PDB file of all heavy atoms in Angstrom:
ATOM      1  N   SER A 178      90.325 126.507 136.284  1.00 47.00           N
ATOM      2  CA  SER A 178      90.765 127.284 135.134  1.00 47.00           C
ATOM      3  C   SER A 178      89.715 127.358 134.035  1.00 47.00           C
ATOM      4  O   SER A 178      89.873 128.094 133.071  1.00 47.00           O
ATOM      5  CB  SER A 178      92.049 126.678 134.553  1.00 47.00           C
ATOM      6  OG  SER A 178      91.769 125.434 133.930  1.00 47.00           O
ATOM      7  N   LEU A 179      88.633 126.569 134.169  1.00 46.00           N
ATOM      8  CA  LEU A 179      87.645 126.503 133.105  1.00 46.00           C
ATOM      9  C   LEU A 179      86.498 127.471 133.352  1.00 46.00           C
ATOM     10  O   LEU A 179      86.089 127.684 134.485  1.00 46.00           O
ATOM     11  CB  LEU A 179      87.083 125.086 132.987  1.00 46.00           C
ATOM     12  CG  LEU A 179      88.069 124.010 132.556  1.00 46.00           C
ATOM     13  CD1 LEU A 179      87.399 122.654 132.587  1.00 46.00           C
ATOM     14  CD2 LEU A 179      88.611 124.289 131.177  1.00 46.00           C
ATOM     15  N   PRO A 180      85.939 128.033 132.281  1.00 47.00           N
ATOM     16  CA  PRO A 180      84.759 128.883 132.434  1.00 47.00           C
ATOM     17  C   PRO A 180      83.529 128.037 132.743  1.00 47.00           C
ATOM     18  O   PRO A 180      83.553 126.818 132.655  1.00 47.00           O
ATOM     19  CB  PRO A 180      84.637 129.544 131.050  1.00 47.00           C
ATOM     20  CG  PRO A 180      85.258 128.554 130.124  1.00 47.00           C
ATOM     21  CD  PRO A 180      86.375 127.912 130.895  1.00 47.00           C
ATOM     22  N   ARG A 181      82.442 128.686 133.095  1.00 47.00           N
ATOM     23  CA  ARG A 181      81.215 127.968 133.413  1.00 47.00           C
ATOM     24  C   ARG A 181      80.622 127.354 132.146  1.00 47.00           C
ATOM     25  O   ARG A 181      80.775 127.866 131.053  1.00 47.00           O
ATOM     26  CB  ARG A 181      80.212 128.909 134.066  1.00 47.00           C
ATOM     27  CG  ARG A 181      80.706 129.473 135.395  1.00 47.00           C
ATOM     28  CD  ARG A 181      79.700 130.419 135.999  1.00 47.00           C
ATOM     29  NE  ARG A 181      78.482 129.725 136.387  1.00 47.00           N
ATOM     30  CZ  ARG A 181      78.325 129.095 137.544  1.00 47.00           C
ATOM     31  NH1 ARG A 181      79.330 129.061 138.405  1.00 47.00           N
ATOM     32  NH2 ARG A 181      77.207 128.496 137.843  1.00 47.00           N
ATOM     33  N   GLY A 182      79.890 126.275 132.314  1.00 55.00           N
ATOM     34  CA  GLY A 182      79.295 125.587 131.178  1.00 55.00           C
ATOM     35  C   GLY A 182      79.705 124.136 131.158  1.00 55.00           C
ATOM     36  O   GLY A 182      80.721 123.755 131.732  1.00 55.00           O
ATOM     37  N   THR A 183      78.905 123.292 130.507  1.00 88.00           N
ATOM     38  CA  THR A 183      79.181 121.865 130.580  1.00 88.00           C
ATOM     39  C   THR A 183      79.173 121.149 129.240  1.00 88.00           C
ATOM     40  O   THR A 183      79.633 120.025 129.165  1.00 88.00           O
ATOM     41  CB  THR A 183      78.137 121.167 131.475  1.00 88.00           C
ATOM     42  OG1 THR A 183      76.831 121.359 130.926  1.00 88.00           O
ATOM     43  CG2 THR A 183      78.178 121.705 132.893  1.00 88.00           C
ATOM     44  N   THR A 184      78.632 121.729 128.196  1.00 96.00           N
ATOM     45  CA  THR A 184      78.460 120.978 126.947  1.00 96.00           C
ATOM     46  C   THR A 184      79.764 120.896 126.167  1.00 96.00           C
ATOM     47  O   THR A 184      80.575 121.820 126.158  1.00 96.00           O
ATOM     48  CB  THR A 184      77.376 121.610 126.061  1.00 96.00           C
ATOM     49  OG1 THR A 184      77.723 122.973 125.782  1.00 96.00           O
ATOM     50  CG2 THR A 184      76.018 121.550 126.743  1.00 96.00           C
ATOM     51  N   ALA A 185      79.956 119.753 125.507  1.00 98.00           N
ATOM     52  CA  ALA A 185      81.213 119.537 124.782  1.00 98.00           C
ATOM     53  C   ALA A 185      80.985 118.695 123.540  1.00 98.00           C
ATOM     54  O   ALA A 185      80.120 117.823 123.493  1.00 98.00           O
ATOM     55  CB  ALA A 185      82.232 118.863 125.686  1.00 98.00           C
ATOM     56  N   VAL A 186      81.820 118.948 122.549  1.00 98.00           N
ATOM     57  CA  VAL A 186      81.962 118.113 121.356  1.00 98.00           C
ATOM     58  C   VAL A 186      83.360 117.512 121.412  1.00 98.00           C
ATOM     59  O   VAL A 186      84.326 118.203 121.743  1.00 98.00           O
ATOM     60  CB  VAL A 186      81.784 118.938 120.067  1.00 98.00           C
ATOM     61  CG1 VAL A 186      82.151 118.118 118.840  1.00 98.00           C
ATOM     62  CG2 VAL A 186      80.355 119.459 119.969  1.00 98.00           C
ATOM     63  N   VAL A 187      83.460 116.231 121.110  1.00 98.00           N
ATOM     64  CA  VAL A 187      84.748 115.552 121.154  1.00 98.00           C
ATOM     65  C   VAL A 187      85.231 115.306 119.731  1.00 98.00           C
ATOM     66  O   VAL A 187      84.563 114.628 118.937  1.00 98.00           O
ATOM     67  CB  VAL A 187      84.650 114.224 121.921  1.00 98.00           C
ATOM     68  CG1 VAL A 187      86.013 113.543 121.963  1.00 98.00           C
ATOM     69  CG2 VAL A 187      84.128 114.459 123.339  1.00 98.00           C
ATOM     70  N   TYR A 188      86.392 115.857 119.411  1.00 98.00           N
ATOM     71  CA  TYR A 188      86.973 115.690 118.079  1.00 98.00           C
ATOM     72  C   TYR A 188      87.863 114.453 118.062  1.00 98.00           C
ATOM     73  O   TYR A 188      88.806 114.331 118.853  1.00 98.00           O
ATOM     74  CB  TYR A 188      87.795 116.927 117.711  1.00 98.00           C
ATOM     75  CG  TYR A 188      88.576 116.770 116.428  1.00 98.00           C
ATOM     76  CD1 TYR A 188      87.913 116.703 115.209  1.00 98.00           C
ATOM     77  CD2 TYR A 188      89.963 116.682 116.434  1.00 98.00           C
ATOM     78  CE1 TYR A 188      88.617 116.541 114.024  1.00 98.00           C
ATOM     79  CE2 TYR A 188      90.676 116.516 115.260  1.00 98.00           C
ATOM     80  CZ  TYR A 188      89.997 116.459 114.061  1.00 98.00           C
ATOM     81  OH  TYR A 188      90.701 116.290 112.900  1.00 98.00           O
ATOM     82  N   CYS A 189      87.539 113.516 117.150  1.00 98.00           N
ATOM     83  CA  CYS A 189      88.309 112.265 117.111  1.00 98.00           C
ATOM     84  C   CYS A 189      88.370 111.729 115.681  1.00 98.00           C
ATOM     85  O   CYS A 189      88.200 110.527 115.439  1.00 98.00           O
ATOM     86  CB  CYS A 189      87.677 111.235 118.042  1.00 98.00           C
ATOM     87  SG  CYS A 189      88.765 109.837 118.406  1.00 98.00           S
ATOM     88  N   GLU A 190      88.613 112.604 114.726  1.00 97.00           N
ATOM     89  CA  GLU A 190      88.594 112.224 113.320  1.00 97.00           C
ATOM     90  C   GLU A 190      89.524 111.045 113.021  1.00 97.00           C
ATOM     91  O   GLU A 190      90.709 111.071 113.324  1.00 97.00           O
ATOM     92  CB  GLU A 190      88.986 113.417 112.445  1.00 97.00           C
ATOM     93  CG  GLU A 190      89.055 113.125 110.954  1.00 97.00           C
ATOM     94  CD  GLU A 190      87.734 112.641 110.379  1.00 97.00           C
ATOM     95  OE1 GLU A 190      86.667 113.119 110.832  1.00 97.00           O
ATOM     96  OE2 GLU A 190      87.763 111.779 109.481  1.00 97.00           O
ATOM     97  N   GLY A 191      88.931 109.995 112.449  1.00 96.00           N
ATOM     98  CA  GLY A 191      89.692 108.841 112.001  1.00 96.00           C
ATOM     99  C   GLY A 191      90.112 107.879 113.083  1.00 96.00           C
ATOM    100  O   GLY A 191      90.734 106.851 112.788  1.00 96.00           O
ATOM    101  N   GLN A 192      89.752 108.161 114.362  1.00 96.00           N
ATOM    102  CA  GLN A 192      90.286 107.352 115.461  1.00 96.00           C
ATOM    103  C   GLN A 192      89.251 106.873 116.463  1.00 96.00           C
ATOM    104  O   GLN A 192      89.607 106.135 117.382  1.00 96.00           O
ATOM    105  CB  GLN A 192      91.368 108.146 116.207  1.00 96.00           C
ATOM    106  CG  GLN A 192      92.575 108.511 115.378  1.00 96.00           C
ATOM    107  CD  GLN A 192      93.340 107.287 114.900  1.00 96.00           C
ATOM    108  OE1 GLN A 192      93.331 106.237 115.537  1.00 96.00           O
ATOM    109  NE2 GLN A 192      94.004 107.403 113.750  1.00 96.00           N
ATOM    110  N   PHE A 193      87.990 107.263 116.334  1.00 97.00           N
ATOM    111  CA  PHE A 193      87.032 106.870 117.352  1.00 97.00           C
ATOM    112  C   PHE A 193      86.877 105.349 117.375  1.00 97.00           C
ATOM    113  O   PHE A 193      86.712 104.700 116.356  1.00 97.00           O
ATOM    114  CB  PHE A 193      85.670 107.522 117.114  1.00 97.00           C
ATOM    115  CG  PHE A 193      84.677 107.224 118.206  1.00 97.00           C
ATOM    116  CD1 PHE A 193      84.929 107.616 119.506  1.00 97.00           C
ATOM    117  CD2 PHE A 193      83.503 106.540 117.928  1.00 97.00           C
ATOM    118  CE1 PHE A 193      84.027 107.340 120.524  1.00 97.00           C
ATOM    119  CE2 PHE A 193      82.599 106.256 118.938  1.00 97.00           C
ATOM    120  CZ  PHE A 193      82.858 106.653 120.234  1.00 97.00           C
ATOM    121  N   GLY A 194      86.961 104.789 118.569  1.00 95.00           N
ATOM    122  CA  GLY A 194      86.899 103.342 118.722  1.00 95.00           C
ATOM    123  C   GLY A 194      88.231 102.648 118.535  1.00 95.00           C
ATOM    124  O   GLY A 194      88.343 101.447 118.781  1.00 95.00           O
ATOM    125  N   GLU A 195      89.251 103.406 118.112  1.00 94.00           N
ATOM    126  CA  GLU A 195      90.586 102.840 117.904  1.00 94.00           C
ATOM    127  C   GLU A 195      91.462 103.147 119.123  1.00 94.00           C
ATOM    128  O   GLU A 195      91.085 103.910 120.015  1.00 94.00           O
ATOM    129  CB  GLU A 195      91.219 103.436 116.636  1.00 94.00           C
ATOM    130  CG  GLU A 195      90.386 103.287 115.375  1.00 94.00           C
ATOM    131  CD  GLU A 195      90.248 101.859 114.923  1.00 94.00           C
ATOM    132  OE1 GLU A 195      91.138 101.045 115.254  1.00 94.00           O
ATOM    133  OE2 GLU A 195      89.253 101.544 114.254  1.00 94.00           O
ATOM    134  N   GLN A 196      92.665 102.564 119.108  1.00 91.00           N
ATOM    135  CA  GLN A 196      93.570 102.783 120.243  1.00 91.00           C
ATOM    136  C   GLN A 196      93.939 104.247 120.413  1.00 91.00           C
ATOM    137  O   GLN A 196      93.996 104.757 121.536  1.00 91.00           O
ATOM    138  CB  GLN A 196      94.836 101.940 120.060  1.00 91.00           C
ATOM    139  CG  GLN A 196      94.583 100.443 120.183  1.00 91.00           C
ATOM    140  CD  GLN A 196      95.854  99.635 120.067  1.00 91.00           C
ATOM    141  OE1 GLN A 196      96.865  99.969 120.664  1.00 91.00           O
ATOM    142  NE2 GLN A 196      95.808  98.573 119.289  1.00 91.00           N
ATOM    143  N   ASP A 197      94.188 104.937 119.301  1.00 93.00           N
ATOM    144  CA  ASP A 197      94.586 106.344 119.402  1.00 93.00           C
ATOM    145  C   ASP A 197      93.403 107.276 119.621  1.00 93.00           C
ATOM    146  O   ASP A 197      93.575 108.493 119.686  1.00 93.00           O
ATOM    147  CB  ASP A 197      95.367 106.765 118.159  1.00 93.00           C
ATOM    148  CG  ASP A 197      96.788 106.230 118.152  1.00 93.00           C
ATOM    149  OD1 ASP A 197      97.189 105.619 119.165  1.00 93.00           O
ATOM    150  OD2 ASP A 197      97.503 106.413 117.148  1.00 93.00           O
ATOM    151  N   GLY A 198      92.211 106.708 119.756  1.00 95.00           N
ATOM    152  CA  GLY A 198      91.037 107.500 120.107  1.00 95.00           C
ATOM    153  C   GLY A 198      90.611 107.274 121.545  1.00 95.00           C
ATOM    154  O   GLY A 198      89.461 107.534 121.911  1.00 95.00           O
ATOM    155  N   LYS A 199      91.544 106.822 122.384  1.00 94.00           N
ATOM    156  CA  LYS A 199      91.154 106.394 123.730  1.00 94.00           C
ATOM    157  C   LYS A 199      90.583 107.516 124.586  1.00 94.00           C
ATOM    158  O   LYS A 199      89.747 107.264 125.463  1.00 94.00           O
ATOM    159  CB  LYS A 199      92.333 105.727 124.436  1.00 94.00           C
ATOM    160  CG  LYS A 199      93.523 106.634 124.701  1.00 94.00           C
ATOM    161  CD  LYS A 199      94.637 105.846 125.392  1.00 94.00           C
ATOM    162  CE  LYS A 199      95.826 106.741 125.709  1.00 94.00           C
ATOM    163  NZ  LYS A 199      96.903 105.990 126.384  1.00 94.00           N
ATOM    164  N   THR A 200      91.011 108.766 124.364  1.00 96.00           N
ATOM    165  CA  THR A 200      90.438 109.866 125.143  1.00 96.00           C
ATOM    166  C   THR A 200      88.970 110.057 124.787  1.00 96.00           C
ATOM    167  O   THR A 200      88.115 110.185 125.668  1.00 96.00           O
ATOM    168  CB  THR A 200      91.229 111.162 124.912  1.00 96.00           C
ATOM    169  OG1 THR A 200      92.559 110.991 125.406  1.00 96.00           O
ATOM    170  CG2 THR A 200      90.582 112.340 125.634  1.00 96.00           C
ATOM    171  N   ALA A 201      88.655 110.044 123.503  1.00 97.00           N
ATOM    172  CA  ALA A 201      87.254 110.141 123.074  1.00 97.00           C
ATOM    173  C   ALA A 201      86.463 108.937 123.552  1.00 97.00           C
ATOM    174  O   ALA A 201      85.329 109.072 124.040  1.00 97.00           O
ATOM    175  CB  ALA A 201      87.176 110.249 121.548  1.00 97.00           C
ATOM    176  N   ASN A 202      87.042 107.751 123.434  1.00 97.00           N
ATOM    177  CA  ASN A 202      86.348 106.546 123.887  1.00 97.00           C
ATOM    178  C   ASN A 202      85.988 106.660 125.367  1.00 97.00           C
ATOM    179  O   ASN A 202      84.880 106.322 125.786  1.00 97.00           O
ATOM    180  CB  ASN A 202      87.230 105.313 123.674  1.00 97.00           C
ATOM    181  CG  ASN A 202      87.665 105.125 122.235  1.00 97.00           C
ATOM    182  OD1 ASN A 202      87.077 105.692 121.320  1.00 97.00           O
ATOM    183  ND2 ASN A 202      88.704 104.336 122.030  1.00 97.00           N
ATOM    184  N   GLY A 203      86.944 107.135 126.152  1.00 96.00           N
ATOM    185  CA  GLY A 203      86.708 107.265 127.586  1.00 96.00           C
ATOM    186  C   GLY A 203      85.632 108.275 127.909  1.00 96.00           C
ATOM    187  O   GLY A 203      84.787 108.053 128.790  1.00 96.00           O
ATOM    188  N   LEU A 204      85.613 109.410 127.201  1.00 97.00           N
ATOM    189  CA  LEU A 204      84.627 110.454 127.470  1.00 97.00           C
ATOM    190  C   LEU A 204      83.219 110.012 127.097  1.00 97.00           C
ATOM    191  O   LEU A 204      82.238 110.394 127.745  1.00 97.00           O
ATOM    192  CB  LEU A 204      84.998 111.728 126.718  1.00 97.00           C
ATOM    193  CG  LEU A 204      86.167 112.510 127.313  1.00 97.00           C
ATOM    194  CD1 LEU A 204      86.701 113.520 126.321  1.00 97.00           C
ATOM    195  CD2 LEU A 204      85.748 113.196 128.607  1.00 97.00           C
ATOM    196  N   VAL A 205      83.103 109.201 126.050  1.00 96.00           N
ATOM    197  CA  VAL A 205      81.796 108.689 125.660  1.00 96.00           C
ATOM    198  C   VAL A 205      81.272 107.712 126.716  1.00 96.00           C
ATOM    199  O   VAL A 205      80.073 107.668 127.003  1.00 96.00           O
ATOM    200  CB  VAL A 205      81.889 108.013 124.276  1.00 96.00           C
ATOM    201  CG1 VAL A 205      80.709 107.103 124.007  1.00 96.00           C
ATOM    202  CG2 VAL A 205      81.989 109.085 123.192  1.00 96.00           C
ATOM    203  N   ARG A 206      82.168 106.967 127.316  1.00 95.00           N
ATOM    204  CA  ARG A 206      81.759 105.987 128.330  1.00 95.00           C
ATOM    205  C   ARG A 206      81.485 106.628 129.690  1.00 95.00           C
ATOM    206  O   ARG A 206      80.630 106.171 130.444  1.00 95.00           O
ATOM    207  CB  ARG A 206      82.852 104.923 128.489  1.00 95.00           C
ATOM    208  CG  ARG A 206      82.928 103.959 127.322  1.00 95.00           C
ATOM    209  CD  ARG A 206      84.038 102.946 127.521  1.00 95.00           C
ATOM    210  NE  ARG A 206      83.975 101.888 126.529  1.00 95.00           N
ATOM    211  CZ  ARG A 206      85.020 101.453 125.810  1.00 95.00           C
ATOM    212  NH1 ARG A 206      86.214 102.007 125.990  1.00 95.00           N
ATOM    213  NH2 ARG A 206      84.860 100.482 124.943  1.00 95.00           N
ATOM    214  N   HIS A 207      82.224 107.694 130.006  1.00 93.00           N
ATOM    215  CA  HIS A 207      82.102 108.258 131.352  1.00 93.00           C
ATOM    216  C   HIS A 207      82.634 109.681 131.372  1.00 93.00           C
ATOM    217  O   HIS A 207      83.757 109.932 130.934  1.00 93.00           O
ATOM    218  CB  HIS A 207      82.907 107.402 132.348  1.00 93.00           C
ATOM    219  CG  HIS A 207      82.976 107.971 133.721  1.00 93.00           C
ATOM    220  ND1 HIS A 207      81.906 107.954 134.589  1.00 93.00           N
ATOM    221  CD2 HIS A 207      83.987 108.584 134.392  1.00 93.00           C
ATOM    222  CE1 HIS A 207      82.255 108.529 135.726  1.00 93.00           C
ATOM    223  NE2 HIS A 207      83.505 108.922 135.641  1.00 93.00           N
ATOM    224  N   SER A 208      81.840 110.611 131.886  1.00 93.00           N
ATOM    225  CA  SER A 208      82.306 111.977 132.080  1.00 93.00           C
ATOM    226  C   SER A 208      81.537 112.609 133.217  1.00 93.00           C
ATOM    227  O   SER A 208      80.308 112.662 133.192  1.00 93.00           O
ATOM    228  CB  SER A 208      82.132 112.819 130.812  1.00 93.00           C
ATOM    229  OG  SER A 208      82.537 114.162 131.052  1.00 93.00           O
ATOM    230  N   GLU A 209      82.258 113.047 134.230  1.00 91.00           N
ATOM    231  CA  GLU A 209      81.651 113.743 135.361  1.00 91.00           C
ATOM    232  C   GLU A 209      81.613 115.251 135.131  1.00 91.00           C
ATOM    233  O   GLU A 209      80.905 115.963 135.843  1.00 91.00           O
ATOM    234  CB  GLU A 209      82.436 113.439 136.637  1.00 91.00           C
ATOM    235  CG  GLU A 209      82.478 111.963 136.995  1.00 91.00           C
ATOM    236  CD  GLU A 209      83.396 111.678 138.170  1.00 91.00           C
ATOM    237  OE1 GLU A 209      83.493 112.546 139.059  1.00 91.00           O
ATOM    238  OE2 GLU A 209      84.009 110.595 138.194  1.00 91.00           O
ATOM    239  N   LYS A 210      82.366 115.735 134.170  1.00 91.00           N
ATOM    240  CA  LYS A 210      82.536 117.170 133.982  1.00 91.00           C
ATOM    241  C   LYS A 210      81.686 117.729 132.838  1.00 91.00           C
ATOM    242  O   LYS A 210      81.171 118.837 132.919  1.00 91.00           O
ATOM    243  CB  LYS A 210      84.017 117.465 133.716  1.00 91.00           C
ATOM    244  CG  LYS A 210      84.351 118.951 133.671  1.00 91.00           C
ATOM    245  CD  LYS A 210      85.809 119.182 133.347  1.00 91.00           C
ATOM    246  CE  LYS A 210      86.732 118.635 134.406  1.00 91.00           C
ATOM    247  NZ  LYS A 210      86.644 119.386 135.676  1.00 91.00           N
TER     248      LYS A 210
END
Side-chain angles (χ1 to χ4, degrees):
S178 70
L179 295 176
R181 297 179 66 85
T183 60
T184 58
V186 171
V187 181
Y188 173 69
C189 195
E190 178 60 36
Q192 298 297 332
F193 184 61
E195 305 293 335
Q196 292 183 45
D197 285 355
K199 64 181 182 180
T200 296
N202 303 342
L204 285 164
V205 162
R206 287 179 170 132
H207 174 74
S208 177
E209 300 173 33
K210 187 182 296 291

